[in-house]
Amino acid sequence: MDFSLDEEQVMFQSMFRDFAQEEIAPLAPETDENERVPDGLLEAAAEQELLGAPLPEEYDGAELDWVSTSLLMEELGKACLSTATVVAIHSGLAAQTILEAGSDDQRKAYLPDMAAGELIGAFALTEPEAGSDPSAIQATAARDGDEYVLNGIKTWVANASIAAAFIIFAQAPGGITAFVVPSAAPGLEVGYRELTMGLRGVAIHALHLKDCRVPASNQLGDEGQGLSIAGRALDRYRLLLAAAALGAAEAALQEGKQFASERKQFGAPIATKQAIGNYFADSVVEIETLRHLVHHTAWKLDQGTAEPWELAAAKLHAGRVARAVANRMVQVHGGYGFSNEYPISRIYRDVRALEIMGGTSQMQQVVLAQSLFGGL
Ligand SMILES: Cc1cc2nc3c(=O)[nH]c(=O)nc-3n(C[C@H](O)[C@H](O)[C@H](O)COP(=O)(O)OP(=O)(O)OC[C@H]3O[C@@H](n4cnc5c(N)ncnc54)[C@H](O)[C@@H]3O)c2cc1C
């Protein structure tokens, strides 16, 4: 059993770390404050081939394995969880859906531009009455000759205002179906923006479909395959979020470590107080456990043997670890942890989303329990 990264993975890791720490981390406060990823950042990421990381070279992707892609997400999550989320939705949800469910023509039409960052993707599944239960979606796709006519409202669509292509799920005559819809399609309107507790750099909007016409050739897979297409995409997205959560937990630990080393009370750095040390000890154990889980799950995905419950387990654990570590590190900061002056308060707000997006923690538990008792 060899737990080490190979030479190429080590090289990628160092490249991702350098880029994330030099280009992304310094902009994280601005991304949060201005509620958008700063101009030029995604273009710079695309130049480093980070926006098409897991896409095949055939579509101008970097064709990274899932272990390397996880290393990328960890470094992005460490630098700025908003930016990591934008990238995960774009390349992990939207592009991967086209890769897996799209025809050769659809792949050629979208993926090279997505890898180049010239076309940002979004994924529109959630609706006002359909969150954890996507089978309840009410958006419709009626067939009209060579076109489909889409109607309905999508909510919580991350990347909506920067996306040029949306993966949209709607009820077609044959059941829930996936479509790739350009932002310029007539009848597609980006609606109100969610004002969020954290991940403020992610543009999350409602999407209105009012007699939105798309050619039938924009359908992904067959009618009725939408939920299985979404399920497979969300499985992989869970690994990416788990890796980003690992990075965010590490960033929180680093912030706490620096503060605890510098802040003096009772005549000594608070790091010397045993109660504070315990916070760090518990956090390190959780982070290292999560690291192994993320790497092992990514490795299993590379082997083609990762089961959905394993991806659910990684995401469930990751959300808990990131929240627990960020929460302890806010406490380490005392009153300063509650101040927006310190990065830990942003990290704390950001990581809270990890237990909701990509399927809530409870839904990961449902997947896990069903894998044990599904036959009953
Ligand atoms: C930051 C962020 C980004 C997002 N980005 C996107 C995106 O790009 N595209 C997209 O389509 N959606 C996106 N979402 C939406 C996200 O997928 C949903 O919020 C999530 O699936 C939960 O749905 P809901 O909010 O409707 O909650 P609900 O489904 O209403 O759940 C409410 C509560 O009930 C619990 N619950 C529900 N059913 C069960 C059950 N059977 N057993 C136990 N507990 C249950 C849930 O766990 C939760 O605690 C995003 C959400 C966030 C916060």
Side-chain angles (χ1 to χ4, degrees), residues 17-169:
R17 189 168 293 162
D18 288 350
F19 178 79
Q21 286 306 314
E22 284 163 23
E23 308 286 336
I24 300 177
L27 299 175
E30 176 186 331
T31 301
D32 181 58
E33 204 174 312
N34 297 348
E35 303 191 334
R36 60 198 291 272
V37 174
D39 289 342
L41 191 53
L42 292 178
E43 289 81 348
E47 270 170 32
Q48 300 290 315
E49 300 192 11
L50 304 186
L51 295 193
L55 290 176
E57 284 176 1
E58 187 186 349
Y59 303 109
D60 299 345
E63 202 159 330
L64 295 190
D65 57 18
W66 288 104
V67 170
S68 303
T69 303
S70 300
L71 296 172
L72 167 63
M73 290 311 303
E74 178 187 347
E75 294 306 326
L76 295 181
K78 200 187 291 177
C80 173
L81 198 56
S82 279
T83 306
T85 303
V86 169
V87 173
I89 302 260
H90 165 75
S91 70
L93 266 182
Q96 283 295 315
T97 302
I98 295 173
L99 177 68
E100 202 189 281
S103 64
D104 204 35
D105 284 348
Q106 288 168 330
R107 292 171 176 183
K108 283 185 187 139
Y110 291 96
L111 297 182
D113 284 349
M114 292 179 93
E118 283 159 18
L119 187 160
I120 298 297
F123 188 88
L125 178 63
T126 303
E127 295 184 2
E129 303 301 329
S132 298
D133 178 12
S135 68
I137 65 173
Q138 292 169 13
T140 54
R143 186 79 191 235
D144 183 18
D146 288 343
E147 293 181 323
Y148 278 95
V149 185
L150 274 58
N151 278 288
I153 299 175
K154 294 289 173 182
T155 47
W156 289 95
V157 184
N159 289 356
S161 58
I162 59 170
F166 294 85
I167 310 296
I168 296 182
F169 296 85

Side-chain angles (χ1 to χ4, degrees), residues 89 123-126 131-132 156 158 199 204 353 356-357 360 362-363:
I89 302 260
F123 188 88
L125 178 63
T126 303
S132 298
W156 289 95
L199 291 187
I204 302 174
I356 301 170
M357 62 179 171
T360 64
Q362 291 70 38
M363 295 320 293

